[in-house]
């Protein structure tokens, strides 16, 4: 009995050593450093004038970081404790934007990685497969027409994303799917939902709502606060935890359907279960950050080219690289035009669009229609 346990323990240790590599650890550390540095730059700018040193001191103020009353106010909306002016500005106005960027970056990256595995298509992402536009339409309808349902935005976005993904998969299904059919179906569904989004503006009679909706459609973190963090953090945490736990299943799916079935996997059940996780992850980001185009396509490729294709490494890498790239992109979007703030979705679109075309050109075979 003891010998069997010892053998099992050695086997588990070998498996852990097999995927937890030095390159993965360095990659995660580098991503963390980029996130922290970009976050510190982000909180140093705003309408309230303060030096870099004052802003950074407010970020690391022990009376805030270790104050349970303060975190209760941030996460549950209770009354704020007594704080300095700099701490109030940094922690109530600027830090939430960084946290929303971290949540959105991690969830979109992991969602894109899952979609690329379940479809076995390296061009797949929430944006390309129409999930973003479906979730976007549902959220936009809530903002413009059913504003009383705002607290349920992640659920509403998930329903819209699910409807879009099921539609894409149904259109692409022809005794199976292929990369080309999935991408073409995603393009069609994207166009339909974008037309519906534009049609919703005829029902909006408040100019402020229209401006907010336009900024949201381009993917913007401007004006985000602790309310957005509270909306997204729980579904994001659940989706990320399940995605990390499902990394082994994603590795098996990448071997092909026949191999996966021979190993005892119920392929369709696993595929749609993990797709549901990817939709929830993407919807959590879309509900608070808007439609950040191509992010879920680019990040998994960067991580895969750096740490390898094992989904245990890929998921962990996306969890760290997504926030680093999103916070950095948001800093670039904020500082690129001086006083004016560019939506972060514009930055990711300018990078992701050409990268998508590069991937299409790189593909030797895209599959039969």
């Amino acid at each position: 009995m003891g010998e069997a346990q010892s053998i099992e323990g050695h086997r588990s240790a070998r498996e852990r050593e097999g995927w937890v590599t030095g390159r993965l650890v360095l990659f995660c550390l580098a991503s963390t450093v980029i996130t922290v540095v970009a976050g510190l730059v982000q909180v140093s700018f705003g309408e309230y004038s303060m030096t870099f040193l004052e802003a950074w001191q407010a970020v690391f103020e022990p009376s805030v970081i270790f104050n349970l009353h303060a975190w209760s106010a941030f996460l549950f909306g209770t009354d704020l404790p007594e704080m300095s002016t700099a701490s109030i500005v940094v922690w109530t106005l600027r830090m939430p934007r960084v946290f929303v960027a971290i949540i959105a970056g991690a969830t979109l990256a992991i969602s894109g990685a899952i979609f690329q595995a379940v479809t076995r298509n390296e061009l797949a992402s929430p944006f390309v497969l129409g999930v973003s536009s479906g979730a976007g339409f549902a959220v936009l309808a809530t903002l413009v027409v059913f504003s009383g349902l705002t607290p349920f935005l992640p659920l509403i976005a998930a329903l819209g994303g699910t409807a879009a993904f099921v539609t894409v998969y149904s259109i692409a299904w022809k005794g199976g799917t292929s990369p080309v059919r999935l991408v073409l179906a995603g393009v069609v569904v994207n166009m339909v939902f974008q037309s519906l989004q534009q049609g919703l503006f005829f029902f909006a009679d408040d100019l402020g709502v229209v401006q907010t909706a336009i900024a949201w459609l381009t993917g913007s973190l401007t004006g985000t606060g602790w309310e957005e963090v509270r909306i997204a953090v729980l579904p994001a945490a659940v989706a990320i935890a399940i995605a990390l736990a499902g990394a082994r299943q994603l590795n098996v799916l990448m071997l092909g359907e026949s191999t996966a079935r021979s190993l005892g996997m119920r392929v369709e059940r696993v595929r749609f279960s993990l797709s549901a996780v990817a939709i929830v992850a993407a919807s959590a980001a879309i509900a608070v950050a808007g439609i950040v185009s191509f992010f879920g396509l680019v990040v998994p490729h960067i991580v895969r080219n750096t740490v390898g294709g094992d989904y245990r490494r890929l998921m962990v890498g996306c969890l760290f690289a997504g926030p680093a790239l999103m916070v950095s992109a948001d800093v670039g979007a904020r500082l690129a035009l001086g006083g004016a703030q560019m939506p972060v979705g514009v930055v990711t679109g300018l990078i992701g669009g050409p990268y998508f075309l590069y991937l299409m050109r790189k593909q030797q075979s895209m599959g039969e229609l």
Side-chain angles (χ1 to χ4, degrees):
M1 183 69 177
E3 185 178 351
Q5 290 178 342
S6 176
I7 293 173
E8 186 63 30
H10 285 304
R11 183 181 301 165
S12 299
R14 284 198 304 270
E15 287 183 357
R16 287 194 296 270
E17 290 172 1
W19 71 270
V20 181
T21 62
R23 176 173 291 188
L24 175 64
V25 172
L26 288 175
F27 181 81
C28 293
L29 287 174
S31 298
T32 301
V33 170
I34 293 172
T35 303
V36 172
V37 171
L40 289 174
V41 173
Q42 182 70 273
V43 301
S44 302
F45 293 89
E47 294 183 6
Y48 183 83
S49 179
M50 65 175 71
T51 64
F52 280 81
L53 182 59
E54 289 173 337
W56 297 350
Q57 285 177 337
V59 171
F60 297 107
E61 177 59 48
S63 62
V64 177
I65 294 177
F66 301 108
N67 189 336
L68 293 179
H69 189 184
W71 284 103
S72 175
F74 299 151
L75 297 177
F76 302 106
T78 59
D79 294 332
L80 278 172
E82 193 169 326
M83 299 163 61
S84 66
T85 302
S87 293
I88 290 174
V89 170
V90 168
W91 279 95
T92 63
L93 299 178
R94 300 181 183 179
M95 282 298 290
R97 179 168 179 163
V98 176
F99 287 131
V100 171
I102 290 172
I103 293 170
T107 51
L108 286 175
I110 281 181
S111 177
I114 293 175
F115 278 127
Q116 288 170 16
V118 298
T119 62
R120 299 186 65 212
N121 179 5
E122 67 176 30
L123 300 179
S125 74
F127 185 81
V128 174
L129 292 178
V131 172
S132 292
S133 59
F137 169 72
V139 172
L140 187 61
T142 303
L143 294 175
V144 174
V145 183
F146 308 106
S147 56
L149 299 177
T150 302
F152 305 101
L153 278 182
L155 175 61
I156 293 169
L159 293 174
T162 301
F165 182 71
V166 170
T167 303
V168 168
Y169 219 86
S170 299
I171 294 172
W173 186 265
K174 187 180 176 184
T177 59
S178 74
V180 166
R181 290 206 303 274
L182 284 168
V183 170
L184 291 179
V187 169
V188 172
V189 171
N190 253 320
M191 292 175 62
V192 171
F193 276 112
Q194 285 174 3
S195 298
L196 292 173
Q197 289 169 7
Q198 294 169 3
L200 281 174
F201 286 110
F202 289 100
F203 296 94
D205 51 9
D206 187 338
L207 182 60
V209 171
V210 172
Q211 290 176 334
T212 300
I214 291 174
W216 180 86
L217 284 175
T218 53
S220 176
L221 297 173
T222 304
T224 53
W226 283 107
E227 182 180 356
E228 283 74 21
V229 175
R230 290 191 286 269
I231 287 173
V233 67
L234 183 59
V238 172
I240 289 171
I242 297 174
L244 292 173
R248 288 175 178 272
Q249 282 72 28
L250 291 170
N251 278 333
V252 176
L253 280 176
M254 291 297 291
L255 298 175
E257 290 190 14
S258 59
T259 303
R261 286 196 177 93
S262 69
L263 294 173
M265 175 181 283
R266 296 185 176 182
V267 174
E268 293 304 327
R269 177 179 294 183
V270 172
R271 175 179 287 157
F272 281 100
S273 297
L274 290 171
S275 296
V277 173
I279 290 168
V280 171
S283 299
I286 292 167
V288 295
I291 301 176
V292 184
S293 56
F294 292 109
F295 193 86
L297 171 71
V298 173
V299 177
H301 280 279
I302 293 174
V303 178
R304 187 180 290 109
N305 291 334
T306 305
V307 303
D310 188 321
Y311 260 80
R312 293 171 295 181
R313 288 197 293 266
L314 186 62
M315 285 298 180
V316 174
C318 285
L319 184 60
F320 285 85
L325 292 177
M326 182 67 80
V327 177
S328 299
D330 191 38
V331 170
R334 184 171 187 175
L335 302 181
L337 300 179
Q341 294 193 38
M342 183 189 303
V344 68
V346 173
V347 176
T348 60
L350 290 173
I351 297 171
Y355 192 76
F356 177 73
L357 294 176
Y358 161 75
L359 290 176
M360 289 189 68
R361 295 282 295 177
K362 181 183 174 183
Q363 291 269 53
Q364 293 294 326
S365 173
M366 289 290 291
E368 298 296 327
L369 285 171

